[in-house]
Amino acid sequence: MKYLSIFAILLLLSCNERNNHIDFNDFNFSKDNTYLIFRGTNTKQGYFAKQFNIKDSLSTHVGILQFKDSEWLIYNVSDFKDNFSDFKTQNLNEFLTCRDGKVLYLSVWTIKGNDLKETRLITSVLKEYKKNKIEFDRYFSLNDSTKLYCSEFVNIVLKSVDSTKFNFKPIKRELKGVYKTYFKKDTLNYYPVDIFEFSPHIIKKKEWYFEE
């Protein structure tokens, strides 16, 4: 019970309000394309996410960025229950608004070869997620399409558009100590937040560092 309480705290998505005055329209982002957006925080949840990354020590959350209805919107799954579903559609200010900490890092990655046709396919997939109740998956299971975590969600969306180009394989990690107790297993198969950064089809376009 003690370990469960610790992880409940670690997995809460919480960040203090932070307005970093970023305008994506200033950086030549194509409104016909889809991007990946990574956020890094100094929250307890962020600390947990970094421990399970492959290499990136900054990014703790990932979503999909598209231009829709005259603004840039971020589609993501996060553990912050405030409405029907843990699937969120947020503008940039909302994505950078957090509790119990600060956003310290932000990066946008372009998908090579992405165009309006592919963006429309991704948009159609996102529309289906809006219709359904998605629950944040605290145990990182890969067996329930109604329970997802941020990187698993991004993986599913990309793979549904092009399963050859976006053929990401989950990472297998041995669990010890408190992690083994919480997950109740010896190994964990999961998609790290930074797994997409190693694809030759996904290239960093812009990044921002913020003061703590």
Side-chain angles (χ1 to χ4, degrees):
M1 200 67 184
K2 171 184 174 184
Y3 289 128
L4 187 60
S5 298
I6 293 173
F7 270 86
I9 294 172
L10 285 174
L11 290 171
L12 283 175
L13 180 64
S14 51
C15 317
N16 269 343
E17 184 171 348
R18 187 176 180 81
N19 183 3
N20 294 296
H21 306 291
I22 296 172
D23 186 350
F24 288 149
N25 295 314
D26 294 338
F27 299 101
N28 197 29
F29 292 175
S30 172
K31 296 177 181 179
D32 292 336
N33 291 0
T34 297
Y35 301 88
L36 297 191
I37 183 166
F38 294 81
R39 179 184 69 194
T41 70
N42 63 357
T43 64
K44 292 179 179 179
Q45 185 272 344
Y47 172 80
F48 173 83
K50 285 189 287 189
Q51 300 306 304
F52 282 81
N53 275 353
I54 300 170
K55 187 177 180 180
D56 187 343
S57 63
L58 298 172
S59 301
T60 60
H61 187 65
V62 61
I64 293 172
L65 176 68
Q66 285 189 343
F67 190 82
K68 183 73 173 175
D69 298 329
S70 302
E71 65 177 332
W72 289 97
L73 296 176
I74 297 130
Y75 304 87
N76 63 110
V77 174
S78 60
D79 187 21
F80 184 60
K81 301 192 183 302
D82 57 358
N83 55 23
F84 169 74
S85 175
D86 290 331
F87 170 75
K88 312 295 181 188
T89 302
Q90 300 175 308
N91 60 34
L92 181 60
N93 283 337
E94 290 169 336
F95 191 69
L96 294 177
T97 298
C98 305
R99 303 174 186 171
D100 272 356
K102 294 181 179 179
V103 175
L104 303 180
Y105 177 76
L106 189 74
S107 65
V108 174
W109 297 60
T110 186
I111 301 172
K112 291 176 65 176
N114 181 241
D115 55 18
L116 182 57
K117 180 180 178 181
E118 192 169 272
T119 289
R120 285 174 174 168
L121 286 173
I122 293 174
T123 299
S124 67
V125 175
L126 296 174
K127 284 181 178 178
E128 292 303 311
Y129 276 99
K130 287 183 179 180
K131 298 176 184 177
N132 301 315
K133 182 177 182 180
I134 302 300
E135 182 180 346
F136 182 82
D137 186 0
R138 294 178 176 85
Y139 294 95
F140 299 96
S141 169
L142 300 177
N143 302 318
D144 189 342
S145 61
T146 67
K147 294 182 178 181
L148 303 172
Y149 50 94
C150 67
S151 48
E152 182 186 13
F153 160 71
V154 171
N155 173 69
I156 292 173
V157 173
L158 293 179
K159 189 169 289 187
S160 68
V161 174
D162 191 328
S163 60
T164 300
K165 183 163 69 173
F166 303 118
N167 187 28
F168 300 102
K169 303 296 184 184
I171 300 298
K172 186 175 183 178
R173 173 171 174 168
E174 181 181 359
L175 298 175
K176 297 180 180 180
V178 67
Y179 296 117
K180 182 176 180 179
T181 301
Y182 174 75
F183 288 108
K184 298 178 181 178
K185 59 178 76 173
D186 295 324
T187 58
L188 183 67
N189 291 320
Y190 68 103
Y191 294 97
V193 169
D194 65 342
I195 193 170
F196 312 104
E197 299 176 11
F198 298 90
S199 169
H201 305 290
I202 299 174
I203 308 298
K204 187 188 297 180
K205 186 171 180 67
K206 183 68 179 177
E207 61 184 353
W208 296 262
Y209 298 86
F210 310 120
E211 293 183 3
E212 189 163 356

